[in-house]
Amino acid sequence: ATIIHRPSTIVLAEPFSGLEPINLRLMKAVITALWQDGVALLFSTHQQEQVEELSDKVMMINRGRVLLDDRLADIKRRYRGDALKMVVDFMPEELDGTGDVHRDGDVYEVRMLPGATPEHVLRQLLDKGVAVERFEVATPRMEDIFLMLVGSGHELGADHE
């Protein structure tokens, strides 16, 4: 009933709460269509993956304090760390400027040391004859950013006001 009159702004509180997968997809499609029609959408949610999927601007509030208020891409860029993710045919034993290497299936996550750049690491891989299928600077999920910003006061058993 809210959208029949074509409002310019819609406020939704936890719009995905309690929805099973079919209606969740339907709600996302409706929200996307409204956004594409120029409707300003403001929704509150604790579901960080939905924030990433449906938002271009994010305001994160914790205990009445605004922690973030920016474009999603800028927030992710600001909080990205020193990790690279890549799919390669083999991982050389030594790469200058890198530290820990972890493998999860076909994906390697490589930590860069201070002063190293993604370009320098990629150049080394190519110079060593490594076939690179995928190479990216790992960007944190909103859940990771949330935990970075408020995690210290929200551990299990922490005293909450």
Side-chain angles (χ1 to χ4, degrees):
T2 300
I3 62 175
I4 291 174
H5 303 290
R6 298 200 153 294
S8 60
T9 303
I10 297 176
V11 178
L12 301 167
E14 296 291 347
F16 310 106
S17 180
L19 296 179
E20 41 69 39
I22 293 171
N23 283 314
L24 179 68
R25 276 190 185 172
L26 179 61
M27 179 60 90
K28 287 178 181 180
V30 168
I31 287 172
T32 300
L34 288 167
W35 180 78
Q36 289 172 339
D37 286 345
V39 175
L41 297 161
L42 173 68
F43 69 94
S44 66
T45 184
H46 291 89
Q47 305 302 318
Q48 300 300 315
E49 66 279 357
Q50 293 161 352
V51 170
E52 290 185 82
E53 185 178 349
L54 297 169
S55 302
D56 58 354
K57 186 163 187 211
V58 174
M59 178 183 284
M60 185 181 292
I61 301 171
N62 183 50
R63 296 184 179 188
R65 208 175 92 231
V66 175
L67 301 178
L68 296 173
D69 185 8
D70 209 343
R71 291 181 46 242
L72 180 62
D74 293 336
I75 291 169
K76 287 182 155 247
R77 195 171 9 269
R78 187 175 331 131
Y79 287 93
R80 81 172 177 215
D82 58 359
L84 302 171
K85 287 190 176 181
M86 59 190 79
V87 175
V88 294
D89 63 341
F90 73 95
M91 181 61 66
E93 294 211 13
E94 295 215 9
L95 288 172
D96 291 338
T98 64
D100 294 337
V101 176
H102 298 283
R103 185 175 185 178
D104 184 10
D106 291 341
V107 179
Y108 289 92
E109 184 168 308
V110 178
R111 294 273 170 212
M112 290 186 295
L113 299 176
T117 65
E119 294 81 6
H120 177 69
V121 174
L122 179 59
R123 174 57 43 213
Q124 289 181 79
L125 290 169
L126 296 174
D127 288 347
K128 293 177 186 245
V130 176
V132 179
E133 183 177 319
R134 187 176 110 198
F135 184 92
E136 64 187 74
V137 176
T139 56
R141 299 170 305 156
M142 282 305 298
E143 178 181 339
D144 299 326
I145 294 170
F146 177 84
L147 292 171
M148 276 188 251
L149 295 174
V150 302
S152 62
H154 285 251
E155 282 87 9
L156 290 175
D159 185 352
H160 297 302
E161 298 168 7

